[in-house]
Amino acid sequence: IKNNMSFFNNKVVIVTGGSDGIGRALIGLLIEAGAKVATCGRQYDKLYALQLEFSQFMLHTMVCDVSNEEECKRFIHSTVETFGTIDILINNAGISMRSLFDDTDTEVIRRLMDVNFMGAVYCTKAALPYIIEQKGTIVGISSTAGYRGLPGRSGYSASKFALQGWLESLRT
């Protein structure tokens, strides 16, 4: 991002899952580069802290669980109402897991797929008309686990493999 600071100036960028980790780091870099940023997360207190930290910048936040399609639609439409369009969607929201498959409740795997894969699908579907209009960009944050199955990470790997395959189909 730092080498292309002017590229992001005045671009509307959505980063899902921006209240922690990679998403939070991206928000700081994008704001520094002059982007208008929108982000979502499940915890109001973390989003509020983010708003306080970047109160002098164009940052739109909203509580949203990306595994819920209606919440994703509301978040995307709220972003468009705030900034007028979307140039870049960074599907970053995700959860992880570590356990052997025979010790894993299938509900954990379903939740991983709902957040890590379906969350990207829901947000992208809602944002797609704006991204197409802007000739924008869709990004998916993946992992080595999206290319290689990792021991103790069966559900996580499956969710990232699904994300990789889906994004490849969109690119094609």
Side-chain angles (χ1 to χ4, degrees), residues 11-31:
K11 291 274 191 333
V12 176
V13 183
I14 292 178
V15 179
T16 63
S19 60
D20 276 318
I22 293 169
R24 189 173 176 105
L26 278 171
I27 287 169
L29 290 170
L30 289 163
I31 285 175

PDB file of all heavy atoms in Angstrom, residues 11-31:
ATOM      1  N   LYS A  11     -10.434   6.880  -2.848  1.00  0.00           N
ATOM      2  CA  LYS A  11     -11.126   5.641  -3.202  1.00  0.00           C
ATOM      3  C   LYS A  11     -11.979   5.212  -2.008  1.00  0.00           C
ATOM      4  O   LYS A  11     -11.596   5.386  -0.851  1.00  0.00           O
ATOM      5  CB  LYS A  11     -10.131   4.525  -3.527  1.00  0.00           C
ATOM      6  CG  LYS A  11      -9.338   4.722  -4.811  1.00  0.00           C
ATOM      7  CD  LYS A  11     -10.086   4.197  -5.976  1.00  0.00           C
ATOM      8  CE  LYS A  11      -9.365   4.073  -7.286  1.00  0.00           C
ATOM      9  NZ  LYS A  11      -8.301   4.829  -7.696  1.00  0.00           N
ATOM     10  N   VAL A  12     -13.124   4.639  -2.301  1.00  0.00           N
ATOM     11  CA  VAL A  12     -13.974   4.084  -1.249  1.00  0.00           C
ATOM     12  C   VAL A  12     -13.617   2.604  -1.121  1.00  0.00           C
ATOM     13  O   VAL A  12     -13.782   1.833  -2.069  1.00  0.00           O
ATOM     14  CB  VAL A  12     -15.473   4.252  -1.577  1.00  0.00           C
ATOM     15  CG1 VAL A  12     -16.329   3.579  -0.509  1.00  0.00           C
ATOM     16  CG2 VAL A  12     -15.829   5.731  -1.719  1.00  0.00           C
ATOM     17  N   VAL A  13     -13.099   2.250   0.051  1.00  0.00           N
ATOM     18  CA  VAL A  13     -12.607   0.902   0.291  1.00  0.00           C
ATOM     19  C   VAL A  13     -13.347   0.295   1.475  1.00  0.00           C
ATOM     20  O   VAL A  13     -13.386   0.872   2.556  1.00  0.00           O
ATOM     21  CB  VAL A  13     -11.090   0.882   0.569  1.00  0.00           C
ATOM     22  CG1 VAL A  13     -10.590  -0.545   0.749  1.00  0.00           C
ATOM     23  CG2 VAL A  13     -10.311   1.602  -0.528  1.00  0.00           C
ATOM     24  N   ILE A  14     -13.916  -0.883   1.249  1.00  0.00           N
ATOM     25  CA  ILE A  14     -14.541  -1.642   2.332  1.00  0.00           C
ATOM     26  C   ILE A  14     -13.563  -2.720   2.779  1.00  0.00           C
ATOM     27  O   ILE A  14     -13.002  -3.436   1.954  1.00  0.00           O
ATOM     28  CB  ILE A  14     -15.848  -2.309   1.873  1.00  0.00           C
ATOM     29  CG1 ILE A  14     -16.918  -1.261   1.592  1.00  0.00           C
ATOM     30  CG2 ILE A  14     -16.331  -3.329   2.903  1.00  0.00           C
ATOM     31  CD1 ILE A  14     -18.226  -1.835   1.093  1.00  0.00           C
ATOM     32  N   VAL A  15     -13.388  -2.834   4.096  1.00  0.00           N
ATOM     33  CA  VAL A  15     -12.595  -3.902   4.696  1.00  0.00           C
ATOM     34  C   VAL A  15     -13.495  -4.599   5.701  1.00  0.00           C
ATOM     35  O   VAL A  15     -13.818  -4.037   6.748  1.00  0.00           O
ATOM     36  CB  VAL A  15     -11.337  -3.362   5.418  1.00  0.00           C
ATOM     37  CG1 VAL A  15     -10.549  -4.502   6.044  1.00  0.00           C
ATOM     38  CG2 VAL A  15     -10.473  -2.540   4.482  1.00  0.00           C
ATOM     39  N   THR A  16     -13.945  -5.823   5.375  1.00  0.00           N
ATOM     40  CA  THR A  16     -14.769  -6.534   6.352  1.00  0.00           C
ATOM     41  C   THR A  16     -13.861  -7.050   7.473  1.00  0.00           C
ATOM     42  O   THR A  16     -12.682  -7.316   7.252  1.00  0.00           O
ATOM     43  CB  THR A  16     -15.544  -7.707   5.714  1.00  0.00           C
ATOM     44  OG1 THR A  16     -14.626  -8.677   5.216  1.00  0.00           O
ATOM     45  CG2 THR A  16     -16.448  -7.218   4.598  1.00  0.00           C
ATOM     46  N   GLY A  17     -14.408  -7.159   8.658  1.00  0.00           N
ATOM     47  CA  GLY A  17     -13.620  -7.652   9.784  1.00  0.00           C
ATOM     48  C   GLY A  17     -12.471  -6.716  10.130  1.00  0.00           C
ATOM     49  O   GLY A  17     -11.352  -7.156  10.345  1.00  0.00           O
ATOM     50  N   GLY A  18     -12.758  -5.428  10.207  1.00  0.00           N
ATOM     51  CA  GLY A  18     -11.702  -4.441  10.405  1.00  0.00           C
ATOM     52  C   GLY A  18     -11.391  -4.070  11.835  1.00  0.00           C
ATOM     53  O   GLY A  18     -10.561  -3.199  12.067  1.00  0.00           O
ATOM     54  N   SER A  19     -12.003  -4.719  12.795  1.00  0.00           N
ATOM     55  CA  SER A  19     -11.771  -4.315  14.183  1.00  0.00           C
ATOM     56  C   SER A  19     -10.585  -5.016  14.836  1.00  0.00           C
ATOM     57  O   SER A  19     -10.187  -4.654  15.937  1.00  0.00           O
ATOM     58  CB  SER A  19     -13.047  -4.543  15.011  1.00  0.00           C
ATOM     59  OG  SER A  19     -13.425  -5.898  14.984  1.00  0.00           O
ATOM     60  N   ASP A  20      -9.988  -5.975  14.153  1.00  0.00           N
ATOM     61  CA  ASP A  20      -8.845  -6.727  14.703  1.00  0.00           C
ATOM     62  C   ASP A  20      -7.881  -7.107  13.593  1.00  0.00           C
ATOM     63  O   ASP A  20      -8.225  -7.092  12.413  1.00  0.00           O
ATOM     64  CB  ASP A  20      -9.316  -8.045  15.343  1.00  0.00           C
ATOM     65  CG  ASP A  20      -9.790  -7.895  16.760  1.00  0.00           C
ATOM     66  OD1 ASP A  20      -9.145  -7.165  17.528  1.00  0.00           O
ATOM     67  OD2 ASP A  20     -10.809  -8.522  17.107  1.00  0.00           O
ATOM     68  N   GLY A  21      -6.688  -7.514  13.996  1.00  0.00           N
ATOM     69  CA  GLY A  21      -5.730  -8.188  13.129  1.00  0.00           C
ATOM     70  C   GLY A  21      -5.411  -7.513  11.810  1.00  0.00           C
ATOM     71  O   GLY A  21      -5.158  -6.318  11.740  1.00  0.00           O
ATOM     72  N   ILE A  22      -5.431  -8.311  10.741  1.00  0.00           N
ATOM     73  CA  ILE A  22      -5.093  -7.833   9.400  1.00  0.00           C
ATOM     74  C   ILE A  22      -6.016  -6.688   8.992  1.00  0.00           C
ATOM     75  O   ILE A  22      -5.561  -5.685   8.438  1.00  0.00           O
ATOM     76  CB  ILE A  22      -5.179  -8.991   8.375  1.00  0.00           C
ATOM     77  CG1 ILE A  22      -4.094 -10.028   8.638  1.00  0.00           C
ATOM     78  CG2 ILE A  22      -5.082  -8.462   6.945  1.00  0.00           C
ATOM     79  CD1 ILE A  22      -4.256 -11.324   7.850  1.00  0.00           C
ATOM     80  N   GLY A  23      -7.306  -6.827   9.262  1.00  0.00           N
ATOM     81  CA  GLY A  23      -8.265  -5.795   8.881  1.00  0.00           C
ATOM     82  C   GLY A  23      -7.961  -4.457   9.516  1.00  0.00           C
ATOM     83  O   GLY A  23      -7.963  -3.416   8.858  1.00  0.00           O
ATOM     84  N   ARG A  24      -7.673  -4.467  10.798  1.00  0.00           N
ATOM     85  CA  ARG A  24      -7.355  -3.216  11.512  1.00  0.00           C
ATOM     86  C   ARG A  24      -6.080  -2.587  10.954  1.00  0.00           C
ATOM     87  O   ARG A  24      -6.006  -1.373  10.775  1.00  0.00           O
ATOM     88  CB  ARG A  24      -7.232  -3.480  13.001  1.00  0.00           C
ATOM     89  CG  ARG A  24      -7.111  -2.196  13.798  1.00  0.00           C
ATOM     90  CD  ARG A  24      -7.151  -2.470  15.291  1.00  0.00           C
ATOM     91  NE  ARG A  24      -6.934  -1.248  16.009  1.00  0.00           N
ATOM     92  CZ  ARG A  24      -7.869  -0.566  16.630  1.00  0.00           C
ATOM     93  NH1 ARG A  24      -9.112  -0.992  16.596  1.00  0.00           N
ATOM     94  NH2 ARG A  24      -7.588   0.543  17.267  1.00  0.00           N
ATOM     95  N   ALA A  25      -5.078  -3.407  10.679  1.00  0.00           N
ATOM     96  CA  ALA A  25      -3.828  -2.897  10.103  1.00  0.00           C
ATOM     97  C   ALA A  25      -4.085  -2.280   8.729  1.00  0.00           C
ATOM     98  O   ALA A  25      -3.553  -1.211   8.407  1.00  0.00           O
ATOM     99  CB  ALA A  25      -2.798  -4.017  10.015  1.00  0.00           C
ATOM    100  N   LEU A  26      -4.920  -2.946   7.913  1.00  0.00           N
ATOM    101  CA  LEU A  26      -5.261  -2.415   6.589  1.00  0.00           C
ATOM    102  C   LEU A  26      -5.958  -1.063   6.689  1.00  0.00           C
ATOM    103  O   LEU A  26      -5.680  -0.148   5.907  1.00  0.00           O
ATOM    104  CB  LEU A  26      -6.174  -3.390   5.853  1.00  0.00           C
ATOM    105  CG  LEU A  26      -5.513  -4.555   5.142  1.00  0.00           C
ATOM    106  CD1 LEU A  26      -6.568  -5.538   4.651  1.00  0.00           C
ATOM    107  CD2 LEU A  26      -4.662  -4.068   3.988  1.00  0.00           C
ATOM    108  N   ILE A  27      -6.850  -0.934   7.639  1.00  0.00           N
ATOM    109  CA  ILE A  27      -7.578   0.323   7.802  1.00  0.00           C
ATOM    110  C   ILE A  27      -6.618   1.471   8.056  1.00  0.00           C
ATOM    111  O   ILE A  27      -6.721   2.530   7.433  1.00  0.00           O
ATOM    112  CB  ILE A  27      -8.641   0.200   8.911  1.00  0.00           C
ATOM    113  CG1 ILE A  27      -9.790  -0.661   8.396  1.00  0.00           C
ATOM    114  CG2 ILE A  27      -9.151   1.572   9.348  1.00  0.00           C
ATOM    115  CD1 ILE A  27     -10.767  -1.077   9.446  1.00  0.00           C
ATOM    116  N   GLY A  28      -5.670   1.267   8.941  1.00  0.00           N
ATOM    117  CA  GLY A  28      -4.683   2.309   9.223  1.00  0.00           C
ATOM    118  C   GLY A  28      -3.904   2.712   7.983  1.00  0.00           C
ATOM    119  O   GLY A  28      -3.717   3.904   7.704  1.00  0.00           O
ATOM    120  N   LEU A  29      -3.464   1.734   7.211  1.00  0.00           N
ATOM    121  CA  LEU A  29      -2.700   2.012   5.989  1.00  0.00           C
ATOM    122  C   LEU A  29      -3.559   2.699   4.924  1.00  0.00           C
ATOM    123  O   LEU A  29      -3.106   3.635   4.257  1.00  0.00           O
ATOM    124  CB  LEU A  29      -2.118   0.720   5.422  1.00  0.00           C
ATOM    125  CG  LEU A  29      -1.000   0.089   6.247  1.00  0.00           C
ATOM    126  CD1 LEU A  29      -0.673  -1.311   5.719  1.00  0.00           C
ATOM    127  CD2 LEU A  29       0.243   0.967   6.239  1.00  0.00           C
ATOM    128  N   LEU A  30      -4.791   2.241   4.778  1.00  0.00           N
ATOM    129  CA  LEU A  30      -5.675   2.832   3.771  1.00  0.00           C
ATOM    130  C   LEU A  30      -6.044   4.269   4.115  1.00  0.00           C
ATOM    131  O   LEU A  30      -6.065   5.142   3.236  1.00  0.00           O
ATOM    132  CB  LEU A  30      -6.940   1.978   3.610  1.00  0.00           C
ATOM    133  CG  LEU A  30      -6.716   0.637   2.920  1.00  0.00           C
ATOM    134  CD1 LEU A  30      -7.885  -0.305   3.178  1.00  0.00           C
ATOM    135  CD2 LEU A  30      -6.479   0.834   1.429  1.00  0.00           C
ATOM    136  N   ILE A  31      -6.318   4.530   5.378  1.00  0.00           N
ATOM    137  CA  ILE A  31      -6.628   5.898   5.802  1.00  0.00           C
ATOM    138  C   ILE A  31      -5.413   6.795   5.579  1.00  0.00           C
ATOM    139  O   ILE A  31      -5.533   7.911   5.068  1.00  0.00           O
ATOM    140  CB  ILE A  31      -7.124   5.916   7.263  1.00  0.00           C
ATOM    141  CG1 ILE A  31      -8.562   5.391   7.303  1.00  0.00           C
ATOM    142  CG2 ILE A  31      -7.023   7.313   7.861  1.00  0.00           C
ATOM    143  CD1 ILE A  31      -9.146   5.238   8.685  1.00  0.00           C
TER     144      ILE A  31
END
